[in-house]
Structures are given as C-alpha cells and as structure tokens.
Amino acid sequence: MAPDRFRKHWGFVTLAAAPMTLLTVVPALSQTPDGGTLTSAAPLALAIGAGAFALTAMAVVRTMLHDNKAERERAAGQIAGLRALVDEYEALLSGTREVTVLWTQNSGGAPKFLGQVAAVLPAGRQPESVLKFQSWLQPGDAERLTEMLEQLRMGGHSFTTSVNTLDGRLVRAQGWVLGGGAAMRLRPAFLQAHPQHRLDHAVAQGDLSSARAILGLLTKPAFLRDANRRLVFANAAYHELARALGKSASESEPAELLDSTQLQRHLAACTSNGKPTVLRLNLAERGAYELVEFAIEGGSAGYLRPLEPAQKLAEPTASYMGSIINALATPIAVFNAKRELVQFNRAYADLWNLDAGFLTLGLDERAILDKLRTEGMLPNEVDYKTWRAQHLTSYTLKVPRENDPWHLPDGRSIKVISAPAGPNGGVIYVFEDLTERLQLESSNKAFSNVQRETINALSEAVAVFGTNGRLTLSNPQLSALWKLPMNELGKNPHIDQIAAASGLAIPADGATIWRDLKRGIIDLNPTRADQTGRINRSDGRLLDYAITRLSDGQTMMTFLDVTESASYSRVLKERNDALVAADLLKDAFVENVSYELRSPLTNIIGFADLLAGTEGGNMNERQRAYIDYIRASSVTLGVLIDNILDLASVDAGIAELRPERLDVAGIVDKARAGLSATFPEISGEKPINLVIDIADDLPPFVADGTRIVQVIYNLLSNAARFSPPGGEIRLRVMSRGERMLFVIEDEGPGLTDEMKAAILTRIDGQTTGRQRGAGLGLAIVKTFVNLHGGTISAQGREPRGSRITVNLPRNSAMVSFAE
C-alpha cells in the first residue's frame, strides 16, 4: 500500500529513475568526438544525482508523516465513538432492572458489574456481593448456580436457570460465552417471583380471572379458594397430581389432596394467623411436597413445591464445609479478603452473644470488633485502634498463627487462632474459651504445690516410681534416710541408679535391699497386692516400708525409721509382760490369802458364837462385850474377804449377774441384818439408828439379789462408819418411771470433793477410827451398780451429812441381754 501512495504523489517512479538515467547518460556525454572521455564532468554528474535523491527522500518522508498523523486522528475519532457507544450501552444496562457480570481477557479475571444491584440483592449490598450466592440465595440454589458458573468459565457451557432468594423472590440466571470471556445476567422473574404479590394485586383490582391466569402459568401445582374455604380453581399441574393420586375431580370442582382431618387442621392454621401456612406432605410414590397457602382478598391461594431428597432429611446447608463448621462446637468465623463475614457457626454467635439481626453474612469484621468493644467484650486496651490494626494483620498471614489470649472484662480468657482462608485471601478465626482450663490448671498447680509441701513435711521418706522404673516424685527424707546424692542422680533417676548409689552409701546391704524392693516396683501384674515389711539394715537402723500401687499405674514406696520406736516398744513390752506376771501373781495371792483367811475366820466366828450362846452365863459384862467385839470384827473381816474375791472376779472378767424378780423389803432386811452383825449393840448401846422408808406399791424389780444386798450393805456400812454413834441413817426406796432409786442419808461430816471422787474409785481418802476400810466397799458398790446398768451419785446435806443415790433400771435382765 505504501508504494502506491508514493506513486500517487510526485511521480515517484519517474523521479526515482531520473538519477539512474543521468548516470547512464553521463559516460556518453563525457566522451569527445574523437573517442576521448571528459573526465572532468563525472564528479558534477554524481553531485547532481545525489542532490536529486536527497530532495526526493525528503519529499517522501514528509508525505509519510502527514499520512500517519491523519491516520491517528481518524483512529482516535473511531475509538472515541466506540467508547461513547460503550458508555451508552453501559448506561442502558445500568438503567435496567437486572445485573450483568462480565469476565474478559483484558480484566485479568476480575468481574465487572453492570446494572442495578438492588434488582436482585437486598438493599444496601455492594455489587461484589452478587457473586456471594450463599448470602442472598437459598442454600441449594446457591450451590447449584456456583457449579453452573464454574462450568461456564472453565468449560464454556452456557446455562439458563431460575433460583430462589432468601426472601422468597425468584431470579432468572443466564450465562453465556463472550469471546474469550464469559457473561452472566441476573434478573427478577416478576411473574413467578412471588405468586402472593401478583395475586393480591389482581384480586385488589377485582380481576379474579387474572388471578386464575397467574396460577395457571405456574408449573407447580397451584389452587385458589373462595371465602368459604372451598376449592374454586386448580391449574393443570394440580389436576395431574390429583389424578396420579387417584382423586376423581373435574376442572370446575377440583379434588382435595388432603384427607378430612388434615384439611380441617390445615384450614384452622390458615385462619389463626395471617402468615403463609406451610405443611409438609408425603404423597406416596409421588414423593414429598411442601404445601404453601396464603390468604388473599376474598379467600386464599396456594401451591405445592416438591422437596429434594436433602430437604426431606434436614435443612440444607450452604456447602459441605459449611456443614462441617456448623456441626462443630468450637467457635469459627471465616472472612474473605475484603474483611466480609462469609461463614460462621452458632458457637461463634453464642461466644460473643451476637444476635441474628446483627450477625449477617457480608458484615465487615471491623464493625463486629467495634460492636464488641462498645459492649465491653474485648480486652481493655489503651490504644484500641492500634490493637485492632494489629489484629487485622491476620489477613496477611501465610501460615496459621496463635495469638496471645484475650483476657476479657467479664473474666473469660479466649485463645484466638488465625489461619489463611485460601488462595483468594481472607482469614479463618478459631476461638477457644480457656477460662475453665486455666482455672483447672491453676487449681491443679495449687494442688500440686500443696501436695508437694505436704509430702515434704512428712516424717516418712516417699518415693513414687513410674511404670518405666524411674523416680517421678520424692521428698528430702528419702535422700536423708538412704544417704542418696540426689543432685548427682538427676531429676528422674532409674531405680537401678538409686540401688547403685545406696550400695556406695551403705556398702554392706544397700544395693541388695533396693534390688529386692525393685521386684515390687516393676511387677506389672494387675492383680498384685500391696506389700509391707520391715528392713533391718546393717547400720542398725530399722525401717518399716510399704509398697502401694497407684491408680495411674505408678508405684509409691514409703519408708519410716522406727529404730527408736522399736526400742520403746521393746521396753514397753517387757514392762507389760512384767505387769501381766504381777497381775497373775496378785490373783494367785488374793485367791490363796482369801482361802487361808477364811478357814481360821470360820473357826473364830464359830467359837465366838459358842461362847456367846452356851457359855455366856458364866461371863461377866466385860467378857460378853469382848465376845461381841470378836463376833463383829469377824463378820467385818468376812465381808472384806468376800469383797476382795468379788473384785478379783470382776477384774478377771468372769463376774456375771443372775437377775431374778426381787422382794425389795426382803433384800433390805438382809442388808440390815448384815449391818446389825457388823455394828452390834455393845453394853446396851446402839451404834446406829437405822430408819427404813420403802414406798408403797413398788413395781416389779428384776436384778441380781446377792449383788443388790451387797450394794445396800456397803452403802449403809459406809454411812455408819462416817456417822457419830447413835446418828440417824435413813434408807429410802422409791420408783421413778422405769428406774428404781435407793437413797442413803447420814448425819456424818458431809462429803468433801475428795470424798465425792472416792465414790468413783476403789480407794477412799485417808480415814481413821470408824471411817477406816470404806474404800473397798465403795469400789464394790460402783462395780455392781455398773454391771446392772445403773448410776451412783453423792451430794452433801445441810447443815451436815451426805446423800448417796443409786439409780438402777427396773429390769436389769434386759440390760444384761443387750450388752
């Protein structure tokens, strides 16, 4: 094309050939007529040719520059026109109620959005949110449209489909190949978007035929009811479903798909609330359907929507990954590269107490952080903006990062793990509430410290060995007792190392002892029993040891140095043996002495009675008084011997009661007779003045008669010894409920604290004269009263004297049986 342009202007062919022609002619012109050459004309010719060529070249260059400028101007005009046309097209698309998304080769894969975003998205959303199908489409439709769009861009497969939004609208989606890129258009399907809206409009205008026409256009089974809840219209899909279910009906009278019970319940639900009523139906082989019925002016309308298999089992989830996240109890939130929330689970909302009205997909993370700070649920930071900026650096991570725990004002501690969300950017946050774990760790640490302090404070040496035979816990007493250099053995020495160290510290038997103990430690038999024993070391130390198996499989060993206590035990044993021998000797002595005393005493009493009876007439008063003294002293001595034998039997544990029903007056007479024998009248002088007061109508009294007589006698005898000659001694017997009381009162010097204590012991205070010998009798009283299950008490009387009360159960047989 360029040569033609040059030929057109200035006669390019002619001008270019002129210098060559001139050069060809020059040799001819340079020759003379005689054949010579004009050599001087050659330089001139060359100069003329060069000048002509230069002029020609300049003209050509100028022409080319002019033409290029004109071409650029024409191209710029064409580009401006094309741009204006594109702007007009974009303005035209932006004014339509649809959204077009373009992917071109020049855009580098970034989408371009044209049209009104509000036509398909909720108000306030950014254009980029169009491709976040999960945020505005039903979960199943969002996943299906995502797959179709991927097949369009990767494989060039065009598509046309309808999808349902979260707010119930129907949107038509169309995708096609555009040169080397792809395009997708989204527009509302107004006719099918929401039947209720179109029906309400038609009915409000009084155009029922339009309402029927609208329902007739639906591909799903649909119907219309009048104000009486009667079916007045059904579309073709409804009639086809009814026929498949075996329902007989005509177009003028459609058949009910529900039985009478279901229909009555369903209509009642439609009447009770003004919202659409949804009922799930299982229509046999036709599968599961969802019946949606809503009220309109003058009646109601509805349609049936078939359920997919996934909808029959559970509510659909956004994606497989979304299902996993929602199933986790760990709080998780996913944000894209623009810091928009794209996925979270219920645990995340519960952790931060965020309600569903605020926590929506597409929400900026900065807005979430600001709300949490306003509600006092973030760490208290002086410079909040710097802290937030540092936190948002998580979007630049290439590998997961575990941040420092967040210590919240409400006392919780939250661990935050940030991880990249994928190649497209974004971040995944995993939160863990550490509050309970930190509390447990703190409690466990405190418990461990207390445990260690407790073990260290023990006098026993403690060693805990693991299943591998290594020492896991010990106290300082172990090192001191076995002379172990623990600083040289290390933190967890093996039992063989301890045995070797003991062998060095106690050469004679240290290593041998630990080798024997090792068998009890490494024995892994689950049925093994704990062991105890005593070690007699070569250095003279005696050690008690115990091997105890712990619940976690470890073995605890304790050692106690009992060298000194063993010596004390040996001394105590020897002393106890001596006491036992002395007690046996005492029993033998009491038995022999009692026998040896009783034999001559019997003779003395016999001869004294003989003298008093047969020979008394030949004796004067003084002699008879002596005989009476002999007889009284002999009786007293006999009582003492009986008391000694009784105490011996009680100490030996062989004393037994023989309870029987007693005559209270009879046992009192026996005690009085014994007292009279002990304190006889001498020279017509009564030593005591005994007054007996027995209550009338006493209930039955069951006890050991012999022992009760001894009790009464010893108390009366003790009162007589402490009373002045001729002093009154009163014995009263009475009943109080289930108890029998014996009260002895005297006119003696009264009871001091020492005398009160003497009643509870076997030895009285030091006494003289008539008071001598009372301790043994009171010991007998105390012993026999206890055997009967009774009590004895003593009080002083005013102005002088004492009162002793014996309180016995009315039936001692039951007490003896219970014991």
Side-chain angles (χ1 to χ4, degrees):
M1 183 174 181
D4 292 340
R5 188 186 310 140
F6 291 129
R7 291 189 192 99
K8 182 177 179 182
H9 300 283
W10 304 103
F12 175 78
V13 177
T14 305
L15 291 174
M20 300 302 300
T21 305
L22 181 61
L23 292 175
T24 306
V25 176
V26 166
L29 294 176
S30 63
Q31 294 179 356
T32 63
D34 55 1
T37 303
L38 300 176
T39 57
S40 61
L44 178 63
L46 291 173
I48 294 173
F53 181 78
L55 292 174
T56 302
M58 290 177 61
V60 170
V61 170
R62 290 187 62 183
T63 302
M64 292 178 63
L65 292 175
H66 182 270
D67 291 343
N68 287 338
K69 182 179 180 181
E71 289 294 332
R72 287 197 300 271
E73 292 176 352
R74 284 195 299 271
Q78 292 177 355
I79 291 173
L82 291 175
R83 285 179 177 174
L85 184 61
V86 169
D87 292 338
E88 292 177 358
Y89 285 156
E90 290 183 355
L92 180 62
L93 291 175
S94 300
T96 60
R97 295 285 295 171
E98 62 184 30
V99 178
T100 302
V101 187
L102 302 177
W103 291 271
T104 61
Q105 292 180 340
N106 296 331
S107 65
K112 184 175 184 179
F113 301 91
L114 302 175
Q116 297 183 9
V117 178
V120 293
L121 293 181
R125 293 290 186 92
Q126 297 295 324
E128 292 80 3
S129 300
V130 170
L131 298 179
K132 302 171 185 177
F133 301 133
Q134 297 176 358
S135 66
W136 61 280
L137 292 180
Q138 295 287 346
D141 292 343
E143 186 175 358
R144 179 165 55 87
L145 185 57
T146 301
E147 294 177 356
M148 290 182 176
L149 185 59
E150 184 177 359
Q151 293 177 2
L152 170 65
R153 298 189 60 190
M154 302 300 295
H157 300 289
S158 301
F159 66 87
T160 301
T161 185
S162 298
V163 291
N164 294 290
T165 65
L166 293 175
D167 55 3
R169 295 177 294 111
L170 187 67
V171 175
R172 294 287 294 174
Q174 182 180 6
W176 67 94
V177 178
L178 183 64
M184 179 181 66
R185 181 169 60 239
L186 301 170
R187 60 183 176 84
F190 295 105
L191 187 59
Q192 294 86 2
H194 206 301
Q196 183 178 359
H197 299 163
R198 301 295 294 172
L199 288 172
D200 285 340
H201 177 74
V203 174
Q205 300 297 325
D207 188 4
L208 293 178
S209 61
S210 296
R212 297 189 181 195
I214 292 173
L215 294 178
L217 291 175
L218 293 177
T219 58
K220 301 174 182 178
F223 57 88
L224 188 66
R225 297 183 189 273
D226 60 11
N228 297 323
R229 302 297 182 184
R230 186 174 61 88
L231 282 177
V232 295
F233 173 77
N235 64 358
Y238 185 95
H239 286 293
E240 181 182 356
L241 180 60
R243 286 191 296 270
L245 297 175
K247 305 285 186 178
S248 59
S250 62
E251 293 186 2
S252 60
E253 295 183 358
E256 291 284 359
L257 300 181
L258 304 177
D259 57 36
S260 59
T261 304
Q262 288 179 324
L263 180 61
Q264 183 178 5
R265 191 163 52 244
H266 173 64
L267 293 179
C270 292
T271 305
S272 62
N273 55 49
K275 298 180 180 179
T277 303
V278 180
L279 176 66
R280 293 200 174 190
L281 303 175
N282 188 5
L283 301 180
E285 67 276 0
R286 300 292 294 184
Y289 281 80
E290 189 174 64
L291 172 61
V292 181
E293 186 166 351
F294 44 87
I296 62 174
E297 187 71 24
S300 63
Y303 60 93
L304 287 90
R305 180 173 63 187
L307 294 177
E308 298 178 0
Q311 292 175 305
K312 300 175 187 177
L313 298 176
E315 292 295 328
T317 55
S319 63
Y320 176 72
M321 183 58 67
S323 301
I324 296 177
I325 292 177
N326 289 331
L328 294 176
T330 301
I332 297 176
V334 183
F335 294 86
N336 60 16
K338 297 180 180 180
R339 300 188 180 95
E340 296 176 338
L341 181 65
V342 296
Q343 185 62 265
F344 66 94
N345 58 3
R346 182 64 186 173
Y348 173 78
D350 293 340
L351 176 67
W352 300 111
N353 196 24
L354 298 173
D355 56 73
F358 171 78
L359 194 62
T360 58
L361 298 179
L363 188 63
D364 194 290
E365 185 187 3
R366 290 168 291 189
I368 297 176
L369 293 174
D370 292 343
K371 179 177 177 62
L372 293 178
R373 179 174 179 262
T374 303
E375 296 181 355
M377 299 187 67
L378 287 181
N380 292 323
E381 296 289 340
V382 177
D383 190 350
Y384 167 71
K385 291 185 178 180
T386 303
W387 178 87
R388 189 182 71 173
Q390 175 64 28
H391 169 72
L392 294 177
T393 58
S394 301
Y395 289 88
T396 63
L397 294 176
K398 302 300 181 183
V399 295
R401 178 182 71 187
E402 181 174 333
N403 303 319
D404 294 333
W406 293 0
H407 300 290
L408 307 185
D410 59 2
R412 293 183 298 167
S413 297
I414 307 298
K415 182 175 72 174
V416 184
I417 300 176
S418 309
N424 296 327
V427 63
I428 301 174
Y429 292 114
V430 180
F431 301 88
E432 182 182 357
D433 192 342
L434 302 176
T435 308
E436 185 175 355
R437 193 181 79 180
L438 292 178
Q439 291 176 350
L440 290 176
E441 289 179 354
S442 177
S443 300
N444 183 61
K445 184 177 180 180
F447 175 77
S448 299
N449 292 335
V450 172
Q451 182 187 49
R452 179 167 295 279
E453 293 296 332
T454 303
I455 292 177
N456 291 341
L458 293 176
S459 58
E460 296 92 340
V462 178
V464 178
F465 292 90
T467 55
N468 57 357
R470 291 193 171 274
L471 183 67
T472 60
L473 181 66
S474 64
N475 62 353
Q477 284 74 12
L478 179 70
S479 174
L481 190 62
W482 289 96
K483 306 175 184 179
L484 299 175
M486 300 301 294
N487 54 339
E488 299 178 8
L489 293 177
K491 185 177 181 181
N492 301 108
H494 194 272
I495 189 172
D496 291 337
Q497 296 176 264
I498 296 177
S502 296
L504 296 176
I506 310 173
D509 54 0
T512 303
I513 293 174
W514 277 97
R515 281 196 295 269
D516 294 339
L517 295 174
K518 178 181 177 181
R519 300 189 185 96
I521 294 175
I522 64 174
D523 185 6
L524 300 180
N525 185 0
T527 60
R528 69 173 184 176
D530 297 340
Q531 300 179 19
T532 59
R534 174 166 291 183
I535 299 173
N536 190 356
R537 284 196 331 205
S538 59
D539 57 359
R541 311 300 296 179
L542 292 178
L543 306 180
D544 281 350
Y545 74 91
I547 301 176
T548 305
R549 184 177 184 180
L550 304 179
S551 58
D552 58 356
Q554 298 189 98
T555 303
M556 180 178 70
M557 182 177 296
T558 59
F559 301 92
L560 179 62
D561 190 346
V562 295
T563 306
E564 295 182 0
S565 60
S567 300
Y568 295 150
S569 298
R570 183 167 54 252
V571 172
L572 291 175
K573 185 177 182 305
E574 293 174 353
R575 179 168 295 184
N576 184 67
D577 292 341
L579 291 175
V580 170
D583 191 59
L584 294 176
L585 181 61
K586 180 203 70 173
D587 293 341
F589 171 78
V590 169
E591 182 178 357
N592 293 330
V593 168
S594 299
Y595 175 77
E596 296 297 335
L597 290 177
R598 189 175 295 276
S599 297
L601 181 61
T602 304
N603 296 330
I604 294 172
I605 293 174
F607 287 119
D609 290 340
L610 179 61
L611 291 175
T614 59
E615 303 295 337
N618 299 326
M619 292 187 292
N620 56 30
E621 290 298 327
R622 181 180 294 275
Q623 291 174 335
R624 281 195 293 269
Y626 291 160
I627 294 297
D628 291 335
Y629 279 126
I630 294 172
R631 295 175 63 194
S633 298
S634 300
V635 171
T636 301
L637 185 58
V639 172
L640 290 176
I641 294 174
D642 291 338
N643 288 342
I644 292 174
L645 293 177
D646 289 336
L647 285 177
S649 63
V650 170
D651 291 341
I654 60 176
E656 295 181 357
L657 296 181
R658 295 180 176 83
E660 58 181 343
R661 185 165 181 170
L662 302 178
D663 178 13
V664 176
I667 61 175
V668 170
D669 288 339
K670 292 181 180 180
R672 180 171 53 184
L675 186 64
S676 298
T678 305
F679 298 92
E681 293 185 9
I682 300 176
S683 302
E685 180 184 354
K686 288 185 177 182
I688 58 175
N689 181 15
L690 179 61
V691 178
I692 297 176
D693 182 7
I694 301 177
D696 298 333
D697 300 326
L698 288 177
F701 180 46
V702 178
D704 188 330
T706 303
R707 306 304 186 189
I708 297 300
V709 170
Q710 286 181 276
V711 168
I712 298 173
Y713 167 77
N714 281 289
L715 290 176
L716 292 175
S717 176
N718 188 73
R721 288 189 177 91
F722 283 91
S723 296
E728 181 181 279
I729 299 175
R730 182 177 297 273
L731 170 62
R732 289 185 294 140
V733 183
M734 65 196 76
S735 174
R736 293 288 186 271
E738 295 297 322
R739 312 292 290 186
M740 190 70 70
L741 302 181
F742 296 85
V743 181
I744 294 93
E745 297 176 341
D746 61 48
E747 296 179 347
L751 291 176
T752 63
D753 292 339
E754 290 79 10
M755 295 180 68
K756 290 180 182 179
I759 295 177
L760 305 178
T761 60
R762 291 190 178 182
I763 302 175
D764 247 329
Q766 300 234 344
T767 58
T768 58
R770 287 171 55 116
Q771 301 175 2
R772 193 175 300 146
L776 189 58
L778 290 180
I780 290 295
V781 169
K782 177 66 176 176
T783 302
F784 289 158
V785 169
N786 289 341
L787 286 177
H788 281 82
T791 60
I792 181 172
S793 60
Q795 300 89 25
R797 298 175 61 201
E798 292 298 337
R800 56 183 290 114
S802 61
R803 179 185 298 110
I804 297 178
T805 304
V806 176
N807 190 331
L808 297 173
R810 283 173 45 196
N811 191 348
S812 299
M814 298 179 61
V815 176
S816 301
F817 179 76
E819 293 177 351

